[in-house]
Amino acid sequence: MIDAIDHEILRLLQIDGRMSATALAAEVGLTVAPCHRRIKELERKGVLTGYRAVVDPAAVGLSFQALVFVTLRDRAQMLTFEKAVGLHEQIVKADRLFGDPDFLLKVIAADLLGYQQFYDEVLVGLPGVEKLTSTIVMKTVKEEAGLPL
């Protein structure tokens, strides 16, 4: 069970995943040892699933984003499709949807030509694909944020 202190630890780590256990303990009103134990327990339970750096795509030459709606021919290929999607780093997010289409993929590339190559060489060849519909991201207004804790 997650109590109010765990909740606050999670909220603070979403804001700054590099926050030290000492600083975190001070923020939530604990000493370092119990705070560290709580963090380890949240990790062990799978509540905290990882830590990562947030990188500006344009700063590393990946300023092109497309959203790709995928409809599969039949549901028999669902798991094979999901596994194949996981193999491609340019697919940075994949959501399985209710209804039609079946999936929404977020694909990142250096430019339109890079996306077109990825589309032609990878996306059309994913298992079970019947239809792909792409839309280009004009501007990211809000990045994916942490959970509203």
Side-chain angles (χ1 to χ4, degrees), residues 90-103:
Q90 282 185 259
I91 301 172
V92 295
K93 189 169 191 314
D95 294 308
R96 184 173 166 190
L97 308 174
F98 280 105
D100 188 35
D102 298 306
F103 289 89

PDB file of all heavy atoms in Angstrom, residues 90-103:
ATOM      1  N   GLN A  90      13.394   4.200 -33.320  1.00  0.00           N
ATOM      2  CA  GLN A  90      12.732   5.393 -33.850  1.00  0.00           C
ATOM      3  C   GLN A  90      11.265   5.448 -33.448  1.00  0.00           C
ATOM      4  O   GLN A  90      10.659   6.503 -33.507  1.00  0.00           O
ATOM      5  CB  GLN A  90      12.865   5.451 -35.377  1.00  0.00           C
ATOM      6  CG  GLN A  90      14.238   5.931 -35.799  1.00  0.00           C
ATOM      7  CD  GLN A  90      14.323   6.093 -37.296  1.00  0.00           C
ATOM      8  OE1 GLN A  90      14.859   5.239 -37.980  1.00  0.00           O
ATOM      9  NE2 GLN A  90      13.804   7.196 -37.793  1.00  0.00           N
ATOM     10  N   ILE A  91      10.713   4.307 -33.053  1.00  0.00           N
ATOM     11  CA  ILE A  91       9.360   4.296 -32.505  1.00  0.00           C
ATOM     12  C   ILE A  91       9.530   4.536 -31.012  1.00  0.00           C
ATOM     13  O   ILE A  91       9.912   3.640 -30.266  1.00  0.00           O
ATOM     14  CB  ILE A  91       8.632   2.964 -32.782  1.00  0.00           C
ATOM     15  CG1 ILE A  91       8.559   2.705 -34.284  1.00  0.00           C
ATOM     16  CG2 ILE A  91       7.238   2.992 -32.153  1.00  0.00           C
ATOM     17  CD1 ILE A  91       8.037   1.325 -34.653  1.00  0.00           C
ATOM     18  N   VAL A  92       9.293   5.765 -30.577  1.00  0.00           N
ATOM     19  CA  VAL A  92       9.585   6.144 -29.199  1.00  0.00           C
ATOM     20  C   VAL A  92       8.399   5.944 -28.264  1.00  0.00           C
ATOM     21  O   VAL A  92       8.548   5.989 -27.043  1.00  0.00           O
ATOM     22  CB  VAL A  92      10.114   7.597 -29.103  1.00  0.00           C
ATOM     23  CG1 VAL A  92      11.462   7.715 -29.813  1.00  0.00           C
ATOM     24  CG2 VAL A  92       9.113   8.597 -29.645  1.00  0.00           C
ATOM     25  N   LYS A  93       7.210   5.712 -28.837  1.00  0.00           N
ATOM     26  CA  LYS A  93       6.023   5.462 -28.020  1.00  0.00           C
ATOM     27  C   LYS A  93       5.043   4.665 -28.857  1.00  0.00           C
ATOM     28  O   LYS A  93       4.914   4.896 -30.062  1.00  0.00           O
ATOM     29  CB  LYS A  93       5.391   6.776 -27.571  1.00  0.00           C
ATOM     30  CG  LYS A  93       4.276   6.623 -26.547  1.00  0.00           C
ATOM     31  CD  LYS A  93       3.898   7.986 -25.973  1.00  0.00           C
ATOM     32  CE  LYS A  93       2.997   7.954 -24.781  1.00  0.00           C
ATOM     33  NZ  LYS A  93       1.863   7.112 -24.800  1.00  0.00           N
ATOM     34  N   ALA A  94       4.388   3.719 -28.234  1.00  0.00           N
ATOM     35  CA  ALA A  94       3.388   2.912 -28.938  1.00  0.00           C
ATOM     36  C   ALA A  94       2.233   2.635 -27.985  1.00  0.00           C
ATOM     37  O   ALA A  94       2.447   2.167 -26.865  1.00  0.00           O
ATOM     38  CB  ALA A  94       4.003   1.602 -29.422  1.00  0.00           C
ATOM     39  N   ASP A  95       1.038   2.940 -28.430  1.00  0.00           N
ATOM     40  CA  ASP A  95      -0.163   2.701 -27.635  1.00  0.00           C
ATOM     41  C   ASP A  95      -1.116   1.809 -28.416  1.00  0.00           C
ATOM     42  O   ASP A  95      -1.382   2.063 -29.599  1.00  0.00           O
ATOM     43  CB  ASP A  95      -0.886   4.016 -27.314  1.00  0.00           C
ATOM     44  CG  ASP A  95      -0.073   4.915 -26.409  1.00  0.00           C
ATOM     45  OD1 ASP A  95       0.366   4.438 -25.359  1.00  0.00           O
ATOM     46  OD2 ASP A  95       0.110   6.094 -26.759  1.00  0.00           O
ATOM     47  N   ARG A  96      -1.620   0.777 -27.750  1.00  0.00           N
ATOM     48  CA  ARG A  96      -2.678  -0.047 -28.336  1.00  0.00           C
ATOM     49  C   ARG A  96      -4.001   0.624 -27.996  1.00  0.00           C
ATOM     50  O   ARG A  96      -4.234   1.009 -26.850  1.00  0.00           O
ATOM     51  CB  ARG A  96      -2.618  -1.457 -27.758  1.00  0.00           C
ATOM     52  CG  ARG A  96      -3.622  -2.389 -28.378  1.00  0.00           C
ATOM     53  CD  ARG A  96      -3.394  -3.799 -27.886  1.00  0.00           C
ATOM     54  NE  ARG A  96      -4.536  -4.619 -28.209  1.00  0.00           N
ATOM     55  CZ  ARG A  96      -4.721  -5.835 -27.743  1.00  0.00           C
ATOM     56  NH1 ARG A  96      -3.820  -6.365 -26.932  1.00  0.00           N
ATOM     57  NH2 ARG A  96      -5.776  -6.516 -28.069  1.00  0.00           N
ATOM     58  N   LEU A  97      -4.861   0.764 -28.980  1.00  0.00           N
ATOM     59  CA  LEU A  97      -6.096   1.522 -28.828  1.00  0.00           C
ATOM     60  C   LEU A  97      -7.320   0.609 -28.881  1.00  0.00           C
ATOM     61  O   LEU A  97      -7.271  -0.460 -29.476  1.00  0.00           O
ATOM     62  CB  LEU A  97      -6.206   2.565 -29.944  1.00  0.00           C
ATOM     63  CG  LEU A  97      -5.002   3.490 -30.154  1.00  0.00           C
ATOM     64  CD1 LEU A  97      -5.220   4.353 -31.382  1.00  0.00           C
ATOM     65  CD2 LEU A  97      -4.743   4.326 -28.921  1.00  0.00           C
ATOM     66  N   PHE A  98      -8.411   1.065 -28.290  1.00  0.00           N
ATOM     67  CA  PHE A  98      -9.697   0.415 -28.479  1.00  0.00           C
ATOM     68  C   PHE A  98     -10.247   0.888 -29.809  1.00  0.00           C
ATOM     69  O   PHE A  98     -10.106   2.049 -30.176  1.00  0.00           O
ATOM     70  CB  PHE A  98     -10.682   0.779 -27.358  1.00  0.00           C
ATOM     71  CG  PHE A  98     -10.466  -0.001 -26.093  1.00  0.00           C
ATOM     72  CD1 PHE A  98      -9.869   0.592 -24.993  1.00  0.00           C
ATOM     73  CD2 PHE A  98     -10.858  -1.329 -26.001  1.00  0.00           C
ATOM     74  CE1 PHE A  98      -9.669  -0.117 -23.821  1.00  0.00           C
ATOM     75  CE2 PHE A  98     -10.671  -2.051 -24.844  1.00  0.00           C
ATOM     76  CZ  PHE A  98     -10.072  -1.444 -23.742  1.00  0.00           C
ATOM     77  N   GLY A  99     -10.928   0.018 -30.521  1.00  0.00           N
ATOM     78  CA  GLY A  99     -11.569   0.426 -31.766  1.00  0.00           C
ATOM     79  C   GLY A  99     -10.588   0.486 -32.917  1.00  0.00           C
ATOM     80  O   GLY A  99      -9.577  -0.202 -32.936  1.00  0.00           O
ATOM     81  N   ASP A 100     -10.904   1.347 -33.862  1.00  0.00           N
ATOM     82  CA  ASP A 100     -10.101   1.474 -35.066  1.00  0.00           C
ATOM     83  C   ASP A 100      -9.524   2.879 -35.111  1.00  0.00           C
ATOM     84  O   ASP A 100     -10.279   3.844 -34.943  1.00  0.00           O
ATOM     85  CB  ASP A 100     -10.997   1.225 -36.288  1.00  0.00           C
ATOM     86  CG  ASP A 100     -10.223   1.144 -37.588  1.00  0.00           C
ATOM     87  OD1 ASP A 100      -9.088   0.634 -37.566  1.00  0.00           O
ATOM     88  OD2 ASP A 100     -10.758   1.593 -38.616  1.00  0.00           O
ATOM     89  N   PRO A 101      -8.261   3.077 -35.280  1.00  0.00           N
ATOM     90  CA  PRO A 101      -7.202   2.116 -35.566  1.00  0.00           C
ATOM     91  C   PRO A 101      -6.788   1.317 -34.333  1.00  0.00           C
ATOM     92  O   PRO A 101      -7.226   1.601 -33.218  1.00  0.00           O
ATOM     93  CB  PRO A 101      -6.057   3.001 -36.051  1.00  0.00           C
ATOM     94  CG  PRO A 101      -6.270   4.304 -35.348  1.00  0.00           C
ATOM     95  CD  PRO A 101      -7.762   4.451 -35.218  1.00  0.00           C
ATOM     96  N   ASP A 102      -5.899   0.358 -34.548  1.00  0.00           N
ATOM     97  CA  ASP A 102      -5.473  -0.531 -33.467  1.00  0.00           C
ATOM     98  C   ASP A 102      -4.344   0.045 -32.614  1.00  0.00           C
ATOM     99  O   ASP A 102      -4.269  -0.225 -31.416  1.00  0.00           O
ATOM    100  CB  ASP A 102      -5.020  -1.880 -34.046  1.00  0.00           C
ATOM    101  CG  ASP A 102      -6.148  -2.589 -34.763  1.00  0.00           C
ATOM    102  OD1 ASP A 102      -7.202  -2.780 -34.138  1.00  0.00           O
ATOM    103  OD2 ASP A 102      -5.980  -2.952 -35.953  1.00  0.00           O
ATOM    104  N   PHE A 103      -3.465   0.828 -33.235  1.00  0.00           N
ATOM    105  CA  PHE A 103      -2.292   1.360 -32.537  1.00  0.00           C
ATOM    106  C   PHE A 103      -2.030   2.802 -32.941  1.00  0.00           C
ATOM    107  O   PHE A 103      -2.352   3.218 -34.057  1.00  0.00           O
ATOM    108  CB  PHE A 103      -1.028   0.546 -32.877  1.00  0.00           C
ATOM    109  CG  PHE A 103      -1.012  -0.823 -32.283  1.00  0.00           C
ATOM    110  CD1 PHE A 103      -1.559  -1.891 -32.979  1.00  0.00           C
ATOM    111  CD2 PHE A 103      -0.468  -1.059 -31.031  1.00  0.00           C
ATOM    112  CE1 PHE A 103      -1.562  -3.166 -32.442  1.00  0.00           C
ATOM    113  CE2 PHE A 103      -0.464  -2.330 -30.488  1.00  0.00           C
ATOM    114  CZ  PHE A 103      -1.014  -3.392 -31.188  1.00  0.00           C
TER     115      PHE A 103
END
